Amino acid sequence: MFTRRATVITAAATTAVLLTGAGAYAYFDRDRRSAPETVTGLRDTVQHLTERTTPATRPHLITRCTTGTHRVRHTSRSGSGAHRTTRTWYTTERHRDCHTIRSGTETYQRVIRPERWCVRLDDVDGDTGRDDVWYRVERSDYYTALAADDHARLEFVPLDQVPAC
């Protein structure tokens, strides 16, 4: 019986170690993927997409508070047996209740498409077969690519690889 329990504990401990190890590996792998990696290639073209907005309405919410009072009863007892006395008194306590209510609508500018800067590269990371790859980049990298000549070698840290810009 003792050996069987030891085996079960060992199996549970082994599972815990494996799960911990897998979690640590997944965490490390996620960090490695999110680390900034530079991309090099030949400048093909650049594209800037402006932010697109549209007017929209939403409920206007306000906070409305009400104040009031409660009458609270207090009692105190003293003594014991036949000499027990009870004293009662009342106090008024103030309270405030607040809640959010709808009061009409308000107009705002809803963003349909965020502003994006994209660069298309050829010969990505030296691979001549990888042409016409779009990358979403920071504004400063976009202006560097815009100022560069056609087929100039560029190196930057992309925000994202996109199918088209």
Side-chain angles (χ1 to χ4, degrees):
M1 186 79 169
F2 180 76
T3 308
R4 192 173 188 182
R5 284 186 186 165
T7 305
V8 170
I9 292 171
T10 304
T14 304
T15 305
V17 169
L18 289 174
L19 289 177
T20 305
Y25 180 73
Y27 182 73
F28 172 75
D29 193 38
R30 185 186 69 207
D31 285 348
R32 195 178 82 222
R33 269 188 273 126
S34 65
E37 295 181 17
T38 60
V39 172
T40 58
L42 303 179
R43 179 193 184 273
D44 189 2
T45 186
V46 294
Q47 187 173 8
H48 174 238
L49 294 174
T50 58
E51 179 181 69
R52 186 173 289 168
T53 62
T54 184
T57 58
R58 61 184 168 209
H60 180 70
L61 302 175
I62 62 171
T63 302
R64 181 161 292 162
C65 296
T66 58
T67 57
T69 58
H70 286 111
R71 187 172 183 214
V72 180
R73 178 181 174 180
H74 305 278
T75 12
S76 119
R77 293 187 175 105
S78 63
S80 62
H83 301 291
R84 184 174 193 134
T85 58
T86 303
R87 184 175 151 253
T88 304
W89 72 97
Y90 295 91
T91 60
T92 303
E93 293 183 358
R94 300 179 66 97
H95 66 88
R96 182 175 176 181
D97 292 327
C98 295
H99 54 279
T100 304
I101 62 168
R102 226 177 128 163
S103 174
T105 58
E106 62 185 14
T107 306
Y108 72 103
Q109 290 295 318
R110 184 169 63 94
V111 176
I112 297 173
R113 180 184 68 199
E115 188 171 23
R116 291 190 300 237
W117 298 273
C118 300
V119 176
R120 189 167 71 180
L121 295 180
D122 290 336
D123 299 341
V124 177
D125 291 331
D127 184 1
T128 55
R130 286 186 63 199
D131 288 343
D132 300 329
V133 180
W134 282 101
Y135 292 100
R136 194 167 55 88
V137 296
E138 295 281 345
R139 180 190 310 201
S140 60
D141 293 331
Y142 168 80
Y143 284 116
T144 302
L146 185 63
D149 295 330
D150 283 342
H151 299 292
R153 181 156 301 280
L154 297 175
E155 182 174 351
F156 53 83
V157 176
L159 297 175
D160 198 9
Q161 182 177 342
V162 290
C165 195

